[in-house]
Amino acid sequence: TMDGWGSLTMLIKRQNAEKYRKAQLRYDLQKRKEDFLNHEGTGSELTFPEVSEFEMEKIKAEIRANLKKERIKNRFISFWILVAVISFVAWFINAKTGAITEFLR
């Protein structure tokens, strides 16, 4: 018989094809998961060159010096940003109320 889907056999074929496609997707996904888990430990480790104790201490000292420079630079920048913000707030309050100008007279 013909209805909205075409013949009944076509409907059944379409449903079976959809089931097969879903089953195939599930299988592929499971296979990918298993492959990933099986190969996870191999080849993913990073290899670092061997470094002598003296070179390691030198590298650590260099990193510490860079961190100290960065910390000083960040504090310097933060200080000037704070000065700018306080100056702006003082200027804004003075512009609105004139309190600072009155206080300084």
Side-chain angles (χ1 to χ4, degrees):
T1 65
M2 294 292 284
D3 54 11
W5 292 296
S7 68
L8 187 56
T9 55
M10 286 300 294
L11 172 64
I12 293 170
K13 282 183 182 178
R14 194 174 295 130
Q15 286 175 338
N16 285 339
E18 193 170 315
K19 282 182 194 172
Y20 174 75
R21 203 168 35 250
K22 284 182 182 176
Q24 188 66 37
L25 282 172
R26 262 196 305 274
Y27 171 79
D28 290 344
L29 183 63
Q30 185 65 30
K31 185 97 172 104
R32 247 188 280 154
K33 260 193 234 174
E34 288 171 4
D35 286 347
F36 177 73
L37 291 175
N38 290 340
H39 299 342
E40 188 176 16
T42 60
S44 62
E45 287 102 20
L46 297 174
T47 54
F48 291 101
E50 291 296 318
V51 179
S52 70
E53 191 65 34
F54 174 73
E55 289 174 329
M56 184 61 81
E57 288 303 318
K58 207 164 105 176
I59 292 170
K60 286 180 181 179
E62 192 176 307
I63 290 172
R64 287 186 187 112
N66 286 341
L67 284 174
K68 191 173 181 181
K69 284 180 196 170
E70 281 293 315
R71 213 175 293 127
I72 291 170
K73 185 176 86 173
N74 287 341
R75 286 181 181 158
F76 184 76
I77 291 170
S78 298
F79 171 75
W80 285 110
I81 289 174
L82 180 66
V83 167
V85 168
I86 290 173
S87 299
F88 176 77
V89 169
W91 171 81
F92 187 77
I93 290 172
N94 190 48
K96 292 292 181 189
T97 62
I100 295 173
T101 309
E102 200 61 38
F103 176 75
L104 293 175
R105 281 190 208 177

